[in-house]
Amino acid sequence: MNDPKKTTTKSPYTLGSTARRLAAAAGGGLVLFAFGALVVQTGAWRSFQTAAGFTPETPAPAVSREAAEAEARKAMLAARAERKKDKEGKVAAPLQPTGPDGYFVPPSESEMPDGAEGAAIRRGRDIFIHTPQYAQRYVGNSMACAQCHLDAGRRENSAPMWAAYVQYPKYRAKNNKVNTLEERINGCFNYSMNAQASEAGKAPPPGDDIYKDLMIYMYWLADGAPTGEKMRGGGYIKVKETPQGYDHARGARVYAQNCALCHGADGQGRKDESGKLRFPPLWGPEAYNWGAGMSRIDTAAGFIKANMPLGKPYSLSDQDAWDAAAYINSHERPKDPRQTGTIEEARVRFHNKEKSYYGKEVNGRILGVGVARATSASAASPAKG
């Protein structure tokens, strides 16, 4: 009988044997992986699936933004038609049409109605896009509505008209009263289109057909939008001021690199071969005046960040957007029509809490004096203020 104290059993899990097993497993795994890759790459696996009666799934093609938006409009119109047929009031109101990015989808040009209503909508669209042409008597510069509200008033984060229409009437601190939509448009003529320098010397009078045509165009763009709701993308974005603040000298470099190609090194815009203005002036007598919202640096920074350079939204840093806005608004432009006394009085009353260079010294000059349009009798010259 063997002595148990002298009997020894060798463990199969020594360090060396474990290492050999791991190496063998790894080698086998690599062989299997290589074989599988070879089968897939040569098409043998697909052939096997086909022979066995399996049809490999083909990924569904990506749906374009345009197609998704068209489907959203189609679904809303279909739901509206069902609700119209409902005699018992059981069908819920259709939801607003939104695209894959969550922004409201306005109707397409093909949805414009016929008849007198459609004619008015088209007139409003034309006035909106070509304001100096179709409202010539009341425009005192080269600006048009569509230059601050892009894509004919459709573009999100560019103060689109589908969002503006459903917000009025509303209170505005700018004139400390409740404004109708017509009064809001009147303000655009006074400030953005500098109506004081126009043939009429003022904005269109109350009740003018220009307002009616513009408002029915905006009403049509807002088809399906919720009344009174602050809609996503409905204004200009707010860009938080950076620790470096804003600086017009830095902005000059940003402008030269990103803006001058379209708006000119002198900021006076560019025309096409026919002489038609293609890109608007950003300062000087043909630009918006000192009372326009875009003369505020923070407003301009939000517009630039989300929309400029054209076709390259959000390509500029926050700092560059602030500095470009500062550079653009550090130049003289038409006088604020609200100024009746001195520049300092107007600054305190209308611009005191704004991020603006109005009434401040830039490059040795106090801004806000204003610059007038050139006439046949005289060249452009600073207006007295």
Side-chain angles (χ1 to χ4, degrees):
M1 190 171 179
N2 295 330
D3 186 349
K5 294 181 179 180
K6 295 182 180 180
T7 302
T8 59
T9 303
K10 189 176 181 180
S11 172
Y13 300 106
T14 63
L15 180 62
S17 62
T18 300
R20 286 192 295 273
R21 287 187 179 92
L22 289 173
L30 288 173
V31 170
L32 288 173
F33 176 79
F35 177 74
L38 181 64
V39 169
V40 172
Q41 290 175 356
T42 59
W45 177 246
R46 186 173 292 273
S47 299
F48 170 77
Q49 287 181 304
T50 303
F54 296 106
T55 303
E57 292 185 3
T58 302
V63 178
S64 68
R65 172 177 171 169
E66 291 75 12
E69 290 177 343
E71 282 300 313
R73 290 287 310 172
K74 183 178 178 181
M76 185 204 71
L77 293 174
R80 182 180 290 172
E82 286 300 314
R83 182 176 170 84
K84 189 174 182 179
K85 292 186 294 184
D86 177 31
K87 302 298 183 182
E88 300 179 1
K90 296 181 178 180
V91 177
L95 298 175
Q96 61 174 295
T98 55
D101 49 12
Y103 294 117
F104 175 78
V105 181
S108 64
E109 291 276 327
S110 63
E111 293 182 57
M112 280 191 181
D114 296 323
E117 183 181 3
I121 292 170
R122 290 175 175 84
R123 287 196 304 270
R125 175 201 59 195
D126 292 343
I127 295 170
F128 194 90
I129 299 173
H130 307 292
T131 319
Q133 177 181 350
Y134 291 96
Q136 180 179 8
R137 178 170 165 76
Y138 304 104
V139 176
N141 58 18
S142 297
M143 303 299 292
C145 306
Q147 289 163 350
C148 292
H149 311 279
L150 302 183
D151 193 18
R154 297 169 175 272
R155 180 78 58 83
E156 67 276 357
N157 297 318
S158 183
M161 294 302 100
W162 41 261
Y165 184 84
V166 297
Q167 292 182 20
Y168 286 87
K170 77 171 184 178
Y171 172 82
R172 296 189 73 221
K174 185 167 185 172
N175 54 16
N176 193 32
K177 69 173 189 175
V178 173
N179 286 215
T180 64
L181 183 56
E182 178 177 309
E183 289 174 317
R184 180 66 182 88
I185 298 170
N186 176 277
C188 289
F189 273 97
N190 282 323
Y191 302 119
S192 295
M193 263 74 81
N194 198 36
Q196 294 66 230
S198 69
E199 176 188 341
K202 60 182 181 179
D208 193 278
D209 285 345
I210 288 175
Y211 295 123
K212 296 176 183 178
D213 291 341
L214 283 170
M215 286 191 290
I216 196 170
Y217 174 62
M218 296 173 190
Y219 164 80
W220 174 76
L221 283 176
D223 182 46
T227 300
E229 181 177 324
K230 189 174 182 180
M231 300 176 69
R232 182 170 182 260
Y236 299 126
I237 68 170
K238 296 184 182 301
V239 182
K240 186 177 180 180
E241 191 172 348
T242 66
Q244 291 75 32
Y246 52 86
D247 182 84
H248 60 84
R250 286 195 307 257
R253 295 189 290 271
V254 180
Y255 182 89
Q257 294 169 0
N258 299 277
C259 315
L261 179 64
C262 293
H263 297 283
D266 60 356
Q268 300 310 293
R270 292 194 185 277
K271 298 179 179 179
D272 59 23
E273 294 179 356
S274 67
K276 182 179 179 181
L277 188 69
R278 183 170 177 80
F279 299 103
L282 301 179
W283 61 81
E286 295 298 321
Y288 50 88
N289 67 38
W290 279 111
M294 202 60 77
S295 70
R296 298 195 297 266
I297 296 169
D298 51 341
T299 299
F303 174 80
I304 290 168
K305 176 71 177 182
N307 298 287
M308 296 289 137
L310 195 63
K312 297 171 62 179
Y314 301 100
S315 61
L316 296 180
S317 68
D318 290 358
Q319 185 66 64
D320 284 351
W322 272 102
D323 290 342
Y327 176 70
I328 290 166
N329 285 325
S330 68
H331 291 79
E332 195 59 87
R333 56 191 64 259
K335 181 180 175 180
D336 187 336
R338 297 170 296 181
Q339 180 194 337
T340 56
T342 66
I343 293 175
E344 178 60 16
E345 288 171 342
R347 185 193 68 77
V348 172
R349 184 175 180 185
F350 303 114
H351 301 273
N352 194 34
K353 296 182 180 180
E354 294 179 354
K355 293 185 182 299
S356 168
Y357 285 127
Y358 182 89
K360 299 177 182 177
E361 184 176 324
V362 176
N363 296 328
R365 296 179 59 191
I366 298 295
L367 295 178
V369 173
V371 58
R373 300 183 89 175
T375 64
S376 57
S378 63
S381 60
K384 294 180 181 181

